[in-house]
Amino acid sequence: MKAAVLREFNVMPAVEDREMPDAKGEEIVIRQTYTGICYRDILTLHGKFPRTNLPLVPGHEVSGRIVSVGEQVKELREGDRVSGLIYLPCGKCKFCLGGRENLCRNKRTLGEAVDGSYAPCVRMNERSVVRVPPGVDESSAVIAACVTGMIIQALRNRARLAEGETVLVTGAGGGVGAHAVQVARALGARVIAATSSRWKEEKLHDLGADAVVPSGNLSKQAKEETGGEGVDVVIETVGGPTFRESLKALNFGGRLALIGNVDASSVDLPLGYMILKGLEVIGSVSSTRADVAEALELSRRGMVKPVIDRSVTLEQLGEAYSAMEGRSTFGRVLIDLAGAE
Ligand SMILES: [Zn+2]
Ligand SMILES: [Zn+2]
């Protein structure tokens, strides 16, 4: 089969012929229609993840139909539609056994530790996928783990978002942000979306943002939008450049959740301010199978619609990466694998 292969950091993955993967033991092989391009893939290209094993098929956003199953697979059959986690959990540690497999220390991430999804067929295991309910389209299924499910993990499990609270989403025009606006709405929140791109403002209103503000002076604007109080939760998808303003945008008891591929620079924490206002800064990583199942359910009910900027072929990866790095995309970029052999 054709696959994009990363052989050297900082050199774009090139299309090569690769052996079709086969399924042994608990493994399954999935035939995909699409895979997503994540900002993490660009960071992987630049060597930012130390556990990357080269040469490697990048990509970790998986969905499709099972085309073969190993002899120990119990619940799944050929032909089943599934959506994958972005990693293979060990299945044995306290986190895996407690339903928090996103924290598994022995997890192997697709497109880093093992071959990933930039190919028509990808190998995973039974523990790392969720069945896709009827009525969910492929582009929703492919973003269920790394986009929608990751946001559910952050908003509901980590930031404990309650109905009627106000959420500020930074970087709202990005692949994560455009879906965070919708998930926050679906969970009953009022949503303020912040973007540095004027042309994305109307699109964010269309996705259900109650207010859209420019990325500068975030705290002042968040307060104006909340009668001077501030917001209950910030979904911080930008990181260092907006962190300080995001923290100041919080109401008493506010929670700031860091998700996605934030700029990983260090920040100063104003400790007295945080104590007096009872603030929390929370890291939130990836998603669990329960999050993915809930993401698929929100998609099935039409509450989260996939925001797809464009889809490209495996040969057009360079163009897609440049557009993402230049922030000229709105929502997710997909690789169309339907015609790839
Ligand atoms: Zn991703
Ligand atoms: Zn584990």
Side-chain angles (χ1 to χ4, degrees):
M1 65 174 182
K2 278 203 312 188
V5 179
L6 176 65
R7 294 201 163 267
E8 208 181 318
F9 293 128
N10 299 310
V11 177
M12 276 305 291
V15 178
E16 296 181 10
D17 272 322
R18 278 254 167 153
E19 289 269 310
M20 195 70 137
D22 59 344
K24 295 196 192 74
E26 296 177 326
E27 292 169 344
I28 55 175
V29 174
I30 301 161
R31 177 74 170 86
Q32 310 185 93
T33 307
Y34 298 110
T35 186
I37 304 182
C38 187
Y39 209 81
R40 182 170 178 148
D41 303 343
I42 297 177
L43 299 175
T44 304
L45 167 69
H46 296 310
K48 303 286 187 196
F49 291 96
R51 289 206 232 167
T52 305
N53 285 325
L54 298 184
L56 174 88
V57 179
H60 54 255
E61 302 188 357
V62 175
S63 72
R65 270 189 202 283
I66 297 178
V67 288
S68 66
V69 296
E71 60 287 356
Q72 288 163 28
V73 170
K74 296 185 192 80
E75 306 286 329
L76 298 167
R77 299 280 170 272
E78 270 179 40
D80 286 351
R81 276 184 78 201
V82 291
S83 183
L85 293 173
I86 75 162
Y87 56 88
L88 311 176
C90 81
K92 297 180 187 118
C93 72
K94 69 171 182 182
F95 296 113
C96 284
L97 296 174
R100 293 195 293 162
E101 61 270 23
N102 57 322
L103 300 177
C104 174
R105 287 178 70 162
N106 305 312
K107 71 183 174 195
R108 289 175 302 151
T109 302
L110 270 80
E112 275 168 42
V114 295
D115 276 342
S117 61
Y118 284 14
C121 290
V122 59
R123 177 167 41 208
M124 298 193 76
N125 66 40
E126 195 171 27
R127 283 190 301 279
S128 54
V129 299
V130 173
R131 228 184 262 275
V132 177
V136 176
D137 61 30
E138 275 304 310
S139 37
S140 296
V142 81
I143 64 166
C146 195
V147 187
T148 319
M150 176 184 70
I151 297 162
I152 291 170
Q153 168 72 211
L155 276 176
R156 246 252 311 271
N157 302 358
R158 302 290 286 136
R160 307 178 310 279
L161 177 67
E163 228 178 289
E165 288 193 311
T166 301
V167 175
L168 168 67
V169 178
T170 66
V176 175
H179 297 92
V181 168
Q182 299 182 69
V183 174
R185 275 291 299 248
L187 297 177
R190 179 165 179 267
V191 183
I192 303 172
T195 177
S196 53
S197 307
R198 289 295 301 269
W199 65 275
K200 295 178 179 175
E201 289 180 10
E202 200 177 318
K203 292 172 183 286
L204 289 165
H205 277 297
D206 293 345
L207 291 179
D210 297 281
V212 182
V213 299
S215 289
N217 282 327
L218 266 185
S219 60
K220 182 163 167 275
Q221 300 190 72
K223 291 204 169 128
E224 274 171 21
E225 294 292 338
T226 52
E229 285 194 341
V231 301
D232 302 296
V233 171
V234 176
I235 285 291
E236 179 59 82
T237 77
V238 178
T242 47
F243 181 87
R244 187 77 188 211
E245 278 293 305
S246 291
L247 197 68
K248 277 171 66 185
L250 287 171
N251 194 358
F252 283 78
R255 291 87 71 200
L256 187 160
L258 296 156
I259 64 166
N261 302 289
V262 297
D263 162 279
S265 55
S266 297
V267 294
D268 285 328
L269 288 182
L271 301 181
Y273 179 82
M274 289 187 64
I275 292 166
L276 292 174
K277 290 193 83 170
L279 305 181
E280 292 172 63
V281 174
I282 306 166
S284 185
V285 63
S286 197
S287 53
T288 63
R289 287 174 73 184
D291 297 326
V292 175
E294 189 172 348
L296 292 165
E297 180 57 19
L298 289 183
S299 297
R300 191 189 66 76
R301 285 155 57 194
M303 298 174 87
V304 178
K305 297 205 161 59
V307 182
I308 307 301
D309 181 82
R310 70 185 82 181
S311 57
V312 299
T313 63
L314 282 173
E315 287 80 5
Q316 294 167 325
L317 284 177
E319 173 202 311
Y321 277 36
S322 309
M324 287 170 66
E325 287 186 287
R327 294 181 193 279
S328 66
T329 56
F330 181 78
R332 211 58 166 170
V333 178
L334 301 181
I335 304 174
D336 187 344
L337 298 164
E341 291 298 327

